[in-house]
Amino acid sequence: RMAKGIYPTRKNTPYFFLQHCNELVMDRSKAEACEVFVTVIKPGKATPTHKHDDAEQVYFVLEGVGRIERGKPVKSRQKIRPGEIVHIPRHSWHKVACAGRKTLKYLVVDVFPNGRPKDEPTWHSHASVVSRWLGGSLKRKGRGFSLV
C-alpha cells in the first residue's frame, strides 16, 4: 500500500488504444489540475495525430527512441531519447512514433491550466471519449481496458 500522494509507475491500469498504450499512474480526480500516465509505443507504431485544447503536456522519455511530429500538416519532426523532456502546448497538433527497435516509453504529465475538465473528471471518462473519437468503445481487458 502506497502512502497518500505517492504513486508507483509500475503495474498501473493499462488503456490499450489502436497503436499505443497509456498506463494510468495518477488519475486526474486525485489532483486539481493534472494527471500522470506512462505511454508505451511498440516499434513501428505511433499515436494518432491529435491535440489537447484543455491541457498542455510534458513528457519525460524513459526508454527507447521516438519521433515527434508537430503541426497539421507536419511542420517539424524531432527525435526524442531517454532523459529528454518534451513540452506540448495546448491546441498543438502532434503525433509520437517509436523510431527504434526497442519499445518507446515516456512519462506524461497533463496539466490543465483551467483546472480539471468538468465534462471529463476522471481519466476513464476521458479515455471513453477518445475511444469514441477513434471509432470504438472501451472494454475491460485483464486489469485494464482496450479499444474495441
Side-chain angles (χ1 to χ4, degrees):
R1 181 153 161 78
M2 300 300 293
K4 185 176 179 167
I6 299 175
Y7 302 89
T9 58
R10 294 180 302 282
K11 295 187 179 180
N12 295 296
T13 304
Y15 284 79
F16 297 94
F17 295 99
L18 297 172
Q19 295 193 23
H20 72 287
C21 176
N22 288 342
E23 299 175 349
L24 181 62
V25 175
M26 185 188 82
D27 193 279
R28 60 180 67 179
S29 65
K30 305 287 186 201
E32 287 183 50
C34 65
E35 67 189 357
V36 180
F37 53 93
V38 174
T39 296
V40 180
I41 306 173
K42 296 197 182 274
K45 304 295 182 183
T47 67
T49 301
H50 63 288
K51 66 178 179 147
H52 308 277
D53 291 328
D54 59 359
E56 62 182 323
Q57 295 183 308
V58 177
Y59 304 164
F60 178 72
V61 183
L62 301 167
E63 299 175 17
V65 176
R67 181 183 69 252
I68 184 155
E69 297 178 356
R70 296 176 189 260
K72 185 178 177 182
V74 176
K75 293 180 176 58
S76 72
R77 289 180 177 87
Q78 301 164 290
K79 286 264 178 136
I80 55 174
R81 295 174 177 80
E84 294 180 334
I85 299 284
V86 177
H87 175 245
I88 307 293
R90 284 193 302 164
H91 317 292
S92 174
W93 288 98
H94 61 285
K95 171 183 178 175
V96 180
C98 181
R101 292 187 203 148
K102 286 179 50 182
T103 297
L104 174 65
K105 291 184 182 182
Y106 54 96
L107 184 78
V108 179
V109 178
D110 282 350
V111 179
F112 305 104
N114 298 321
R116 183 179 341 123
K118 293 184 183 0
D119 58 338
E120 297 175 11
T122 65
W123 167 257
H124 190 82
S125 63
H126 171 69
S128 295
V129 169
V130 170
S131 295
R132 287 192 297 278
W133 178 72
L134 292 170
S137 62
L138 286 177
K139 298 290 181 210
R140 174 67 74 176
K141 179 181 179 183
R143 71 176 201 277
F145 296 88
S146 184
L147 175 69
V148 293

